[in-house]
Amino acid sequence: MLAKPMDVLTAFPVRKSKRQKQAFRDAVQSYAASLGYESRVEAGSLGSRNLVLGDPEGAEYLLTAHYDTCARLPFPNFITPCNFWPFLGYQMLIAALILFAAFAFGLLVGLAAGDPGIGSIAGYLCVWVLIVLMIAGPANQHNANDNTSGVVTLLEIARALPEKQRGKVCFVLFDLEEAGLIGSASYRKAHKKATDNQLVLNLDCVGDGDHIRLFPTKKLKKDRKKLTSLYKACGYFGKKNVLVQEKGFCVYPSDQTNFPYGVGICALNKGKAGLFLGRIHTKNDTILEQTNVNILRAALITLITCGAVHV
């Protein structure tokens, strides 16, 4: 059971197995019903199950977050969404490490078997095993930021949104984001006509960092009316800030990319490589700042209502 959204962090810290996901969805549906929302589970590709609160066809906004838990890795998924060279360099480094590990394994197998051909096959198979483990390996037991933070923030906004404004928003919790944005792709396919025009606000890793950024898709950047509306959510809150990132290199790989008017929302730290997201996919993903949840609740309700903030 959930008494408040932040209870997800302790009651359902891991959502990877079918049983864990089902228990989580049941609890969220019960909580949503207590708030007056109708909900349903929609089946999608590869066994994905998306949880939908509200009317997906009549809403102006989709407020989304993925609820599935990633696999634990020995290194963080380090992302610099506003800086091209570190972004590219880190991805290439991970690829190089995988290939090196596979080459070394294949070489050892080939030497042991006395057959380089067997070693080549072993190395090839090793590459795929490592890729599968990165996607579907043992669950990361610590996922406060990725993406319990997005789930908690979505539920906080659902709780605080005034009843007369609820018809504007459909809340969707996507499954299998970590396996390749599968849940959101299934949702897009099932609701293509409605999502052709809806503004999709996707919360992914919003709990750790002082620099909250909104990353609009290319199509959204070209629609000045919709893009300008995002600035209603912007502002400075002490050392923290919420800003739209529309110029320069802007890549944030998450579910919003499956929608024409998608907005990726994340919290970033600042270092020598510029704004960055770190710690996720490792045991160090333990930070979920309530302040970030409160700021985004206020900011996005302001955007949705285009008026005073209601909490």
Side-chain angles (χ1 to χ4, degrees):
M1 296 293 292
L2 297 175
K4 58 184 183 300
M6 192 62 84
D7 288 346
V8 174
L9 188 62
T10 52
F12 303 97
V14 179
R15 304 167 298 274
K16 194 168 179 66
S17 71
K18 288 184 179 180
R19 180 178 295 181
Q20 289 166 342
K21 290 179 180 181
Q22 183 65 59
F24 167 76
R25 291 193 300 265
D26 289 346
V28 171
Q29 286 192 280
S30 178
Y31 180 72
S34 73
L35 297 176
Y37 287 96
E38 294 185 0
S39 65
R40 67 175 184 268
V41 176
E42 294 186 353
S45 301
L46 299 179
S48 63
R49 297 291 185 271
N50 296 325
L51 181 54
V52 182
L53 314 180
D55 179 11
E57 302 300 321
E60 296 176 41
Y61 302 90
L62 287 186
L63 193 64
T64 66
H66 77 86
Y67 70 89
D68 57 313
T69 296
C70 64
R72 180 174 172 179
L73 301 179
F75 45 79
N77 185 12
F78 183 77
I79 300 173
T80 56
C82 309
N83 196 332
F84 174 75
W85 291 113
F87 183 92
L88 178 64
Y90 193 76
Q91 306 309 312
M92 291 179 66
L93 174 62
I94 298 303
L97 289 173
I98 291 173
L99 292 175
F100 177 78
F103 173 79
F105 179 75
L107 181 62
L108 290 173
V109 171
L111 290 173
D115 187 339
I118 293 177
S120 296
I121 294 172
Y124 178 78
L125 292 175
C126 183
V127 169
W128 285 105
V129 168
L130 290 173
I131 291 173
V132 169
L133 285 174
M134 290 177 66
I135 297 172
N140 186 23
Q141 300 297 312
H142 304 282
N143 52 82
N145 194 27
D146 184 17
N147 188 33
T148 299
S149 66
V151 172
V152 167
T153 304
L154 180 148
L155 294 177
E156 263 294 321
I157 294 170
R159 179 195 66 78
L161 189 66
E163 288 191 25
K164 64 181 179 181
Q165 300 290 343
R166 290 182 178 181
K168 291 183 177 182
V169 188
C170 179
F171 300 89
V172 186
L173 289 168
F174 294 130
D175 193 9
L176 293 187
E177 187 269 354
E178 299 290 352
L181 314 184
I182 292 169
S184 57
S186 296
Y187 183 90
R188 165 69 173 154
K189 183 177 181 181
H191 302 279
K192 187 176 185 304
K193 186 174 180 180
T195 55
D196 276 343
N197 293 299
Q198 288 169 330
L199 191 60
V200 180
L201 305 167
N202 183 53
L203 300 156
D204 192 354
C205 301
V206 297
D208 178 14
D210 295 336
H211 307 275
I212 300 172
R213 292 293 180 268
L214 280 60
F215 292 94
T217 58
K218 288 183 178 180
K219 186 168 184 178
L220 179 51
K221 289 179 182 179
K222 295 177 181 179
D223 189 321
R224 298 309 302 180
K225 184 176 181 180
K226 278 187 168 66
L227 184 65
T228 300
S229 71
L230 294 182
Y231 285 89
K232 293 183 175 70
C234 294
Y236 291 84
F237 308 87
K239 66 177 183 178
K240 296 181 180 289
N241 53 74
V242 180
L243 301 173
V244 177
Q245 195 78 28
E246 63 169 302
K247 296 181 180 179
F249 175 75
C250 301
V251 173
Y252 192 65
S254 190
D255 287 308
Q256 80 283 346
T257 59
N258 278 324
F259 301 91
Y261 297 106
V263 184
I265 304 174
C266 67
L268 302 165
N269 289 288
K270 196 169 187 177
K272 292 182 179 179
L275 296 176
F276 70 91
L277 176 65
R279 298 191 182 99
I280 61 172
H281 294 206
T282 71
K283 64 180 181 180
N284 296 318
D285 184 1
T286 58
I287 299 175
L288 198 178
E289 295 187 67
Q290 180 72 57
T291 301
N292 285 22
V293 176
N294 295 343
I295 287 171
L296 279 168
R297 179 189 63 197
L300 295 183
I301 288 180
T302 298
L303 169 61
I304 292 163
T305 62
C306 298
V309 178
H310 299 266
V311 293

